[in-house]
Amino acid sequence: MNDDTLLLFDGLDQSIATDHDWALRRVEEIIQQSVVSRDAYVALNACKSLIQVSKISGLSLAKALYLVKSNWSNYDIEDEFEDVAYSYIGLHPHTISRYVCLWKAYDKNLIPENVREEIQQQNVKQQIPIAMALEQGYEISDDVWQKLSDAPDLSSVSKILREDVKGQEPRKGSLQLSIDNAGMIWAFAEGNRYFVGELEVDSDEEFIQKSIERIKKGAGIL
């Protein structure tokens, strides 16, 4: 599992049996070859290739899931896309939504062309929070886009979004979710407030609190 998927998957995702043996044997063969030829760059080029594959696979999975979801009505399957994907490929709906959200940002051209390539070069784990901020309706100015494209890691991206984006008002017409101290979830759209549901925020049960945090994070609840 690559670095992107490791951080994007959560404890509810199913484990998929994978044959690593051929890849591990190939790695060992390449390293032995580099030792025999006394050429460290043979080994380093293999490492570089693995990193490139890791980046490509994460973004490609995001696009694949987005396109499958977009075309789900064309398939002869009555069950919901997320449920089928969970049972078949092992990704929890919460994980799938993050991948779908990411490629939606590209498909809808929400990421400016002048920084699109730089953003795509980042690990998927850095791109996901950006896409989620856009999904939540936040506007990102040109100078902040430049900051995001130059961000070296997830921590930097999170800091920029927290200080320069989420401190601003979301764009008009966007849907915002928030939770109050009593656990009531409210939706705000076009100047109106709607009651959505309630979470047991007063519970002392550890797993309930963890579940609430996961729901808040996944749905972008403020």
Side-chain angles (χ1 to χ4, degrees), residues 5 11 43 75 78 85 93 103 161-162 164 166 179 183 200 215:
T5 54
Y75 303 118
E78 295 182 359
W103 195 257
L161 291 175
R162 183 174 61 253
D164 298 332
K166 295 188 176 181
I179 184 170
E200 296 292 334
I215 291 170

Side-chain angles (χ1 to χ4, degrees), residues 1-2 11 28 45 54 83 86 116 147 152 161 166 187 199 218:
M1 185 179 294
N2 61 52
E28 188 172 353
N45 281 332
S54 173
D83 295 334
Y86 181 39
R116 184 184 179 105
K147 286 184 181 181
L161 291 175
K166 295 188 176 181
L199 295 177

Side-chain angles (χ1 to χ4, degrees), residues 30 66 105-106 123 131 136-137 140 147 155 179 184 201-202 217:
I30 293 173
Y66 174 80
Y106 288 112
N123 288 326
Q136 292 165 14
I140 301 179
K147 286 184 181 181
S155 177
I179 184 170
M184 304 291 186
V201 294
D202 293 329
K217 184 176 180 181

